[in-house]
Amino acid sequence: SSNVWTADMLTKVMAYFHAQEVMFTLSSLQMSIKSYLKNLLYQPRQLLSEFQQLDQQQFQTAMKYLFNSRKDRLEMGNISLDWDKTRERIFQSPGVNRTLFLVTLDKCFLALSALDCVDILSQVLRVSAVNYLQPDVIGSLPKVLQEDAFRNLSTVFKDLYDKTSAKTQRALYGWMKQILQKSCNMSEFKESTSWVSAENLWILGRYMVHLPLEEILKISLNEIRLFISYDNATKQLDTVYGITPELAQAFLERINSSGFEMRNTSTIYRQDFFSFSFMALLGLLVCFYDDTEQMDAAVARALLHQMIKCNQLRGFQAEVQKLKSQLLNIAMQNQTLNDILGSLSDAVVGLTSSQLESLSPDAVHNAIATLNQVSGWAKSQVMILSSKYLSYEKVLSFYTVSQMGALVTGISTQSFYSMNPKDLSQIIQGTTPQYLSDLSPAQQQGILRKIAASGDFSSSVKDIQGAFFKEISLSDLWKQTGYNSSMMKEKELRRSQALCLYELLSKKYYPVDLLSTGQLVKGVTCQLIESMGTDFFLNIFKFFEKNLHLLSPYQVNCLAWKFWKVSNASIPPFLLSVLPIEYLEYVSGPLCVPFIESLGKTEMDLLNPSLHKKNAVLQKVQECLNGSIADEYDVDLLGNLICHLPPAFLRGRMSLKAMATALHQFKLCQQLSHEQKTEIKYKLLELYGSPNNWTAETTLDVGPFIALMSKGELNVLAEKFPDIILQIAKTIGPISSAEELLSTVFESVSNATANMESSLSRPDCLGTRAPSSDEIIKLAEANVFWSVQELKCMDAGTFDKNVELLGTVSGFNSSQLIALKEKAKQVWGSLPDWKSYHIVSLGRIALALTEREIEELDLHSIDTISVLSQQTEWTLTQARSILQGFLEDSGQTISTLKSFDLVGLGAILCALNSTEIMSIRTAEFSAAVARIGLLFCSTPVLRQFKKMTESVFSTATSWNGSILQEIGTIAGGLNEDELKAFDKNLMPYFQPIAIRRIPPEIFQTLSPEQIANLGPENAAMVTRLQREHLNASQLQSLQLALDGARTSTPETQTGASTTQAVQTPAPSAPCLSGSGIWLCAVFTLHLPF
């Protein structure tokens, strides 16, 4: 062979087929090759088998074409294949990637150079390391590798560390250790006390956390000294996020013994560079440096500076906080806090509000370069520091704000509103974009209102980036001109904004320009989709597919109907799931795999909001899987779909082999039912045996599912692995989902500290243990198990330091909240003396305030109210007290409220009476209406808001889709006549949250046509009570909407029965059904590349 495809060679290929008595033409050969390649993509197990049959030469050719070829097309004489597209499709398929991974392990190191194989492995692994790198597969890694290849592969595994399971991490450490030990035995390290040389430590990198304690203590001191002197040793030690205090201290002990005296200030700095502290070389080991006796203040400050990275550790934050607190005390010896504020690094986050309050404005100003970079501030701390800084600066300008960094969120809304509009315009142009998104809605509204009022809004609109743009009201958008499609690329849009802007821009720009922006797809109406020509629609469909997550279920349904109408033979299989249930009949045979694969990459609730429809789709998925999840290939294929499979199917139809791979996927599921979790628990017990015998790695891998274990099993785990259980409990939500786990954590922490100290200042606290800071930080949500008496006996300093954390505990009952509120009074003095930052720091504890107590508070600031309004459990009388307190203390009436006041009041607005609502100024209401439309107020309040909305957008009967989207729940205040008057095509533009707010007696006045046009998502929001008020015809229409039936065109009645069958991939030519075309045509003859 000349290694080049020629017409003559094609003749030989055809002659070969004819000799086999297989008669077909060149075009049918081309179709067969394409079809065969396509089928292999959907049959990764078959592909594995075909690869395994290739000889070395064919394997080399296959690998080169897959990983090294620069060719876009494969030319085989007259036959041309789009190889670029095929290869892209190959790497998008999880099953095919698994096959490539397994076959690379199996054949590559025998056929290609080790370095090439490592390169191929790294490319394949980056797609989904978690699923492919299971512990049993690690055994297939080569036991002998040349040095360069081993180093490269180790680097790949270090990069993928966080993407692999704990068991896999342990197995990879074992593999690396085995190879490193062999190389040690053959070198000068033969006599060494340990195989762990400086070089080996560097190669292990993050995997050094798996070294046993005794191995670390045996490492030669020369090797430790050598390792620390490496230029990039710090880089390795900076990544040991999973290290434990015991291992860290063992390393520190060896480093200390090797000749570095860490307490001695003179050796803390490298000789030439005073600014480079030796501490910097220790990476994350500094987080556990506990030799603080006789340490001087300069060393403590150097250590604190390095500890800024300790928040990256996997756990042990309570220990880190404790060490920072000790170092803080040492750093402040013979110094005032004002003097050294700028040299304390992020330890300043540990200062209490009273310590921060004692700072001088001058000190805060001088330390701003440090303070503005610190993360982890509590809201109250930011408020104090911002006001100190601004009281020094006097005038709030663009420059001042740009210096503040993370402290920007502490600037009051009123201060923003008082700024020069030009300065505000500069701020939103993105000098500190990462902090702008952290501003509260009230603060954002304050900035926007000031710019809008200045007349400079048009020029500023184009510069507003990201989520900040979503705060611009519809009425403000309407007033502006000069929009273009390119300025939309960096903005996030509400659906109401997108509808408005798409309509506006479509007069000047082609749909391709608009859809390519991404966010504007939210504004595409069904009428627009239906009016598109066939070729045009098929060409731009890729923009919809790419931005599927931005579309509403109604839009997806419209796309599905359009695709079915113009090209049902090539409809993307996942779109069949949004059509009425009978269309699922078209999913069978070769369409099954693409159907499941595309569904697995999409959010199920976006496609099927209705439970009935979801169940029908899942039934089809089970059929396609032949009634079982057999192995890891099925898990790859299912993707997100695994989260929705019914409990019975998980119980009886899922193999243990599949379960080992599926565990990671289950951990990513957002809303597993209790029944699903129970079945997962039984599978885990079947897979790993009794928790009494679990290793640390198994416990870490099971992760949040340990919450499903019995109290006895949890006690065993907590005794064996207290730190791991603590780490897992931190990731678990409210107590309702994990009561037994949290109570186990509480007992474990309590028993470990057994701190029986009691507050001597209170006789009733004798013999009662008081919660310590250390315990509160460790417990997080498990703080809910402190008794009322124990909370009452908490030390004042402990409360002051941890009030914010206690305020986030969602499970505290009213008695516990009252105890904490009384503690706040005891620590902060009488209520009128409380500052805004005190009130803000309370969190849920504020719910315990009575109406009379609320009256005593200073509530003049809308920023305080903004934080209070985020609590959802206020009674109407409490909300009324907060409203009255704000109006009185700020000297305002309802008629003087600005839009940012309305936004800040949030849910407190539900306490307004009808007279008060009607006295809100129209312009201010207009700017805040989208935020008000997110509130769940009572029907009488919504009716008044609806009247106000009419003063902004004219009478309800004239509203369009973008207005309905803008006003949200306010649409729940429409009366019967208004609701009946809406055109049926506007029904999908009611926000789903608005549907639930429509009273049943008014909802029942909708016509069957209107109900049929609600769209799948709105139909799924109809409540049981609303449904009970509907007649048979209306219920039938509701079912049509739930099913995604076609309602907007005359073709509704034709249904699925009149359509042509969905095209399935073309069958292979007879010769190709057994050994593959890759064998009998492509890789037998060496293709040029």
Side-chain angles (χ1 to χ4, degrees):
S1 163
S2 64
N3 283 350
V4 177
W5 274 89
T6 61
D8 174 51
M9 198 172 290
L10 263 182
T11 310
K12 289 178 186 174
V13 172
M14 297 302 290
Y16 165 77
F17 287 137
H18 291 165
Q20 306 292 318
E21 296 185 353
V22 178
M23 310 302 287
F24 59 108
T25 62
L26 263 178
S27 63
S28 63
L29 174 63
Q30 177 156 3
M31 280 306 295
S32 292
I33 293 174
K34 284 183 175 176
S35 170
Y36 182 75
L37 287 173
K38 191 173 180 181
N39 281 339
L40 276 182
L41 291 179
Y42 294 139
Q43 297 172 3
R45 297 177 188 84
Q46 170 74 14
L47 180 60
L48 180 61
S49 155
E50 308 251 328
F51 259 120
Q52 284 166 337
Q53 292 171 44
L54 298 179
D55 64 27
Q56 281 203 11
Q57 184 65 58
Q58 291 162 350
F59 180 80
Q60 278 181 17
T61 309
M63 290 291 110
K64 283 174 183 171
Y65 259 88
L66 280 167
F67 293 99
N68 294 330
S69 170
R70 296 286 175 265
K71 290 182 79 71
D72 295 337
R73 307 191 72 77
L74 286 188
E75 307 291 343
M76 297 183 270
N78 300 333
I79 294 179
S80 175
L81 288 176
D82 185 344
W83 183 237
D84 215 28
K85 208 168 186 178
T86 305
R87 196 168 44 198
E88 186 187 333
R89 184 72 191 80
I90 284 168
F91 292 126
Q92 281 175 352
S93 164
V96 174
N97 270 297
R98 182 180 290 281
T99 285
L100 291 175
F101 172 66
L102 293 173
V103 86
T104 304
L105 278 186
D106 186 34
K107 295 178 80 80
C108 190
F109 288 95
L110 302 171
L112 297 176
S113 80
L115 280 170
D116 283 344
C117 292
V118 168
D119 186 47
I120 291 169
L121 274 179
S122 74
Q123 287 186 58
V124 177
L125 280 172
R126 287 180 203 286
V127 178
S128 182
V130 183
N131 283 351
Y132 306 154
L133 275 180
Q134 292 294 328
D136 55 334
V137 174
I138 309 300
S140 308
L141 289 171
K143 304 290 186 289
V144 178
L145 263 183
Q146 64 189 65
E147 192 178 345
D148 282 357
F150 173 66
R151 281 171 176 263
N152 289 1
L153 193 49
S154 300
T155 302
V156 171
F157 290 147
K158 282 188 276 192
D159 290 345
L160 295 172
Y161 191 93
D162 288 325
K163 292 185 177 179
T164 52
S165 67
K167 280 192 162 181
T168 298
Q169 290 163 3
R170 168 68 70 179
L172 283 168
Y173 161 75
W175 171 78
M176 291 163 80
K177 172 186 168 185
Q178 195 178 14
I179 292 183
L180 290 171
Q181 279 181 321
K182 278 182 187 169
S183 65
C184 271
N185 292 341
M186 295 182 285
S187 70
E188 69 270 20
F189 292 109
K190 217 169 212 173
E191 298 82 35
S192 172
T193 48
S194 168
W195 61 272
V196 185
S197 63
E199 184 89 347
N200 291 352
L201 263 181
W202 185 86
I203 290 169
L204 281 172
R206 297 189 63 175
Y207 288 88
M208 71 175 78
V209 301
H210 297 282
L211 285 165
L213 192 63
E214 55 276 16
E215 193 68 62
I216 296 168
L217 295 172
K218 283 197 307 188
I219 300 174
S220 146
L221 297 180
N222 285 338
E223 295 299 326
I224 279 284
R225 197 180 303 112
L226 184 59
F227 174 68
I228 287 294
S229 70
Y230 285 172
D231 282 346
N232 53 9
T234 312
K235 188 179 168 191
Q236 301 290 1
L237 291 172
D238 273 346
T239 62
V240 291
Y241 310 119
I243 200 158
T244 62
E246 295 74 31
L247 294 184
Q249 276 150 14
F251 273 117
L252 288 169
E253 190 272 320
R254 292 312 275 163
I255 292 166
N256 220 356
S257 303
S258 72
F260 288 111
E261 180 54 51
M262 287 185 278
R263 274 181 305 193
N264 186 338
T265 320
S266 61
T267 62
I268 263 219
Y269 304 104
R270 284 191 169 181
Q271 295 168 14
D272 306 328
F273 302 105
F274 184 78
S275 59
F276 285 114
S277 151
F278 167 67
M279 294 292 179
L281 304 178
L282 300 178
L284 291 174
L285 299 182
V286 297
C287 308
F288 302 102
Y289 183 79
D290 62 349
D291 189 5
T292 54
E293 279 181 44
Q294 299 170 335
M295 183 183 280
D296 72 18
V299 178
R301 288 199 291 275
L303 201 49
L304 281 173
H305 182 65
Q306 291 307 318
M307 287 185 75
I308 200 159
K309 54 189 128 178
C310 295
N311 58 0
Q312 298 173 62
L313 286 169
R314 289 285 176 268
F316 310 107
Q317 287 306 316
E319 288 82 350
V320 170
Q321 296 300 334
K322 199 171 180 181
L323 176 56
K324 281 184 179 177
S325 193
Q326 289 171 353
L327 293 170
L328 203 54
N329 291 336
I330 296 168
M332 288 166 62
Q333 281 170 2
N334 305 321
Q335 304 258 18
T336 67
L337 195 50
N338 281 327
D339 294 335
I340 60 160
L341 184 64
S343 61
L344 299 179
S345 195
D346 73 339
V348 287
V349 170
L351 297 171
T352 63
S353 52
S354 43
Q355 285 175 303
L356 293 175
E357 190 59 83
S358 70
L359 291 167
S360 70
D362 202 31
V364 174
H365 175 264
N366 293 337
I368 197 69
T370 301
L371 301 176
N372 65 11
Q373 292 178 52
V374 171
S375 59
W377 290 115
K379 176 74 177 165
S380 58
Q381 292 177 309
V382 173
M383 287 169 75
I384 297 169
L385 290 169
S386 288
S387 81
K388 296 269 180 196
Y389 180 70
L390 295 177
S391 68
Y392 176 92
E393 287 291 342
K394 304 292 188 289
V395 178
L396 191 54
S397 65
F398 165 67
Y399 173 77
T400 318
V401 173
S402 66
Q403 295 301 299
M404 293 177 72
L407 300 182
V408 161
T409 56
I411 300 173
S412 75
T413 299
Q414 191 59 54
S415 298
F416 275 126
Y417 188 70
S418 306
M419 278 180 75
N420 180 311
K422 283 194 166 50
D423 281 335
L424 286 173
S425 294
Q426 277 184 284
I427 290 169
I428 61 176
Q429 280 168 32
T431 45
T432 51
Q434 71 271 38
Y435 303 119
L436 280 183
S437 57
D438 295 333
L439 296 178
S440 72
Q443 288 170 312
Q444 294 184 4
Q445 184 63 223
I447 292 171
L448 289 173
R449 280 316 277 157
K450 185 58 176 272
I451 297 172
S454 72
D456 190 32
F457 203 37
S458 286
S459 56
S460 301
V461 161
K462 64 177 183 294
D463 297 315
I464 299 174
Q465 305 298 338
F468 202 94
F469 192 85
K470 289 170 89 169
E471 295 300 320
I472 299 175
S473 71
L474 200 54
S475 43
D476 276 336
L477 275 187
W478 282 346
K479 292 174 197 166
Q480 310 313 320
T481 55
Y483 296 114
N484 62 56
S485 59
S486 59
M487 71 167 64
M488 295 298 146
K489 286 188 174 159
E490 304 300 323
K491 305 183 191 318
E492 266 185 62
L493 306 178
R494 294 197 311 279
R495 206 165 292 282
S496 58
Q497 293 173 318
L499 283 161
C500 164
L501 288 167
Y502 193 98
E503 187 183 355
L504 200 66
L505 291 167
S506 62
K507 292 166 186 165
K508 286 199 296 181
Y509 295 94
Y510 292 113
V512 173
D513 298 325
L514 303 183
L515 296 176
S516 62
T517 64
Q519 289 277 325
L520 277 175
V521 298
K522 294 176 180 175
V524 178
T525 63
C526 276
Q527 288 83 347
L528 191 67
I529 292 168
E530 283 172 9
S531 68
M532 290 174 180
T534 299
D535 291 343
F536 178 73
F537 173 76
L538 293 174
N539 283 331
I540 64 155
F541 180 74
K542 62 182 178 221
F543 292 117
F544 292 116
E545 201 166 22
K546 185 181 170 189
N547 294 297
L548 211 54
H549 61 290
L550 299 177
L551 300 176
S552 69
Y554 178 63
Q555 286 175 302
V556 177
N557 182 252
C558 298
L559 288 171
W561 277 118
K562 178 68 176 179
F563 220 124
W564 183 262
K565 180 182 171 187
V566 302
S567 181
N568 60 14
S570 62
I571 186 169
F574 75 92
L575 287 181
L576 290 169
S577 73
V578 305
L579 296 175
I581 288 168
E582 58 266 29
Y583 285 79
L584 290 171
E585 292 165 19
Y586 293 102
V587 179
S588 62
L591 262 185
C592 263
V593 173
F595 175 71
I596 297 177
E597 189 184 309
S598 57
L599 276 180
K601 292 177 179 174
T602 317
E603 186 44 60
M604 184 73 158
D605 292 331
L606 166 66
L607 301 178
N608 296 294
S610 130
L611 188 61
H612 171 65
K613 185 83 173 292
K614 197 181 287 181
N615 289 339
V617 171
L618 291 172
Q619 188 57 46
K620 175 54 72 175
V621 168
Q622 291 168 57
E623 282 173 33
C624 277
L625 289 169
N626 296 323
S628 71
I629 306 175
D631 57 17
E632 59 271 44
Y633 277 109
D634 285 342
V635 176
D636 291 341
L637 181 62
L638 280 163
N640 298 330
L641 268 180
I642 208 161
C643 304
H644 301 279
L645 292 173
F649 189 71
L650 296 176
R651 176 172 62 243
R653 302 290 182 169
M654 187 174 197
S655 74
L656 288 183
K657 191 177 184 189
M659 183 64 201
T661 305
L663 176 57
H664 172 73
Q665 196 66 44
F666 280 131
K667 281 156 77 174
L668 299 176
C669 298
Q670 298 293 311
Q671 292 176 310
L672 290 171
S673 68
H674 176 70
E675 292 73 23
Q676 283 174 307
K677 287 178 181 175
T678 303
E679 297 309 335
I680 292 168
K681 167 190 166 178
Y682 288 126
K683 279 287 170 198
L684 288 170
L685 292 174
E686 212 180 323
L687 183 66
Y688 296 131
S690 162
N692 299 344
N693 305 321
W694 286 1
T695 61
E697 286 76 25
T698 304
T699 310
L700 272 170
D701 287 342
V702 171
F705 293 114
I706 63 165
L708 306 168
M709 303 302 159
S710 70
K711 190 75 169 77
E713 290 165 334
L714 285 169
N715 286 339
V716 171
L717 290 174
E719 200 172 319
K720 280 165 73 176
F721 314 116
D723 296 324
I724 292 173
I725 298 302
L726 257 184
Q727 192 180 323
I728 294 169
K730 289 263 187 186
T731 65
I732 284 189
I735 185 165
S736 56
S737 62
E739 187 163 355
E740 300 238 292
L741 171 62
L742 292 177
S743 78
T744 305
V745 165
F746 183 79
E747 289 158 17
S748 170
V749 170
S750 305
N751 295 340
T753 46
N755 171 18
M756 288 303 290
E757 288 178 28
S758 56
S759 168
L760 297 177
S761 58
R762 293 188 52 166
D764 57 337
C765 284
L766 286 172
T768 302
R769 67 180 284 212
S772 68
S773 273
D774 202 32
E775 290 170 316
I776 291 168
I777 292 167
K778 282 182 179 176
L779 289 171
E781 190 64 27
N783 279 298
V784 75
F785 290 100
W786 293 111
S787 70
V788 169
Q789 185 60 23
E790 285 167 332
L791 291 174
K792 282 180 179 174
C793 295
M794 192 190 308
D795 174 72
T798 304
F799 176 83
D800 202 21
K801 201 169 184 179
N802 298 288
V803 59
E804 307 252 357
L805 200 159
L806 292 167
T808 64
V809 177
S810 64
F812 277 140
N813 61 33
S814 56
S815 306
Q816 290 169 308
L817 293 174
I818 289 168
L820 290 167
K821 174 195 71 177
E822 293 303 324
K823 177 60 65 177
K825 288 183 183 176
Q826 185 190 324
V827 176
W828 297 333
S830 64
L831 293 166
D833 296 335
W834 286 11
K835 303 277 198 301
S836 286
Y837 62 80
H838 286 133
I839 302 167
V840 160
S841 66
L842 286 172
R844 281 192 75 241
I845 301 168
L847 294 168
L849 292 162
T850 64
E851 290 79 48
R852 181 156 292 179
E853 286 171 329
I854 291 169
E855 285 168 17
E856 289 186 60
L857 295 172
D858 174 5
L859 297 178
H860 75 279
S861 163
I862 191 58
D863 301 290
T864 308
I865 304 298
S866 179
V867 173
L868 290 176
S869 71
Q870 288 166 21
Q871 298 300 332
T872 56
E873 302 160 77
W874 295 113
T875 65
L876 198 57
T877 48
Q878 282 177 311
R880 190 76 206 164
S881 290
I882 292 170
L883 176 68
Q884 289 302 132
F886 170 62
L887 292 173
E888 286 168 20
D889 295 343
S890 64
Q892 296 201 74
T893 62
I894 300 289
S895 62
T896 63
L897 294 179
K898 299 271 195 303
S899 62
F900 54 80
D901 294 319
L902 298 174
V903 169
L905 281 161
I908 305 296
L909 290 174
C910 294
L912 289 169
N913 63 40
S914 55
T915 312
E916 289 168 333
I917 291 173
M918 296 317 288
S919 63
I920 297 172
R921 279 184 292 178
T922 306
E924 306 305 327
F925 183 84
S926 164
V929 70
R931 282 276 166 190
I932 295 170
L934 297 173
L935 305 176
F936 297 111
C937 300
S938 66
T939 304
V941 171
L942 292 178
R943 284 188 179 139
Q944 292 305 315
F945 281 148
K946 189 267 302 179
K947 285 182 186 171
M948 278 301 300
T949 306
E950 288 185 306
S951 66
V952 177
F953 296 123
S954 187
T955 55
T957 48
S958 67
W959 294 348
N960 60 19
S962 57
I963 293 171
L964 280 173
Q965 275 290 317
E966 178 85 347
I967 67 172
T969 56
I970 297 173
L974 291 162
N975 64 36
E976 296 175 23
D977 295 333
E978 290 162 339
L979 200 56
K980 277 193 298 189
F982 276 107
D983 184 284
K984 64 178 184 179
N985 290 322
L986 284 174
M987 298 313 292
Y989 297 102
F990 280 84
Q991 278 199 35
I993 51 172
I995 298 295
R996 284 180 176 267
R997 308 310 298 175
I998 301 172
E1001 63 279 7
I1002 290 178
F1003 188 79
Q1004 70 181 356
T1005 63
L1006 287 170
S1007 70
E1009 290 74 28
Q1010 285 177 306
I1011 292 174
N1013 276 275
L1014 277 170
E1017 189 176 20
N1018 283 348
M1021 296 300 277
V1022 174
T1023 65
R1024 184 180 54 78
L1025 214 54
Q1026 287 171 329
R1027 195 185 278 260
E1028 284 171 6
H1029 279 68
L1030 301 181
N1031 62 34
S1033 171
Q1034 289 171 312
L1035 286 170
Q1036 193 178 1
S1037 291
L1038 183 61
Q1039 195 55 52
L1040 284 173
L1042 286 167
D1043 280 350
R1046 190 174 204 155
T1047 52
S1048 54
T1049 70
E1051 294 158 65
T1052 311
Q1053 306 308 318
T1054 60
S1057 56
T1058 60
T1059 53
Q1060 67 184 85
V1062 178
Q1063 181 184 315
T1064 57
S1068 308
C1071 117
L1072 309 178
S1073 55
S1075 65
I1077 189 69
W1078 285 20
L1079 289 171
C1080 69
V1082 182
F1083 295 133
T1084 312
L1085 303 156
H1086 305 173
L1087 297 173
F1089 46 84

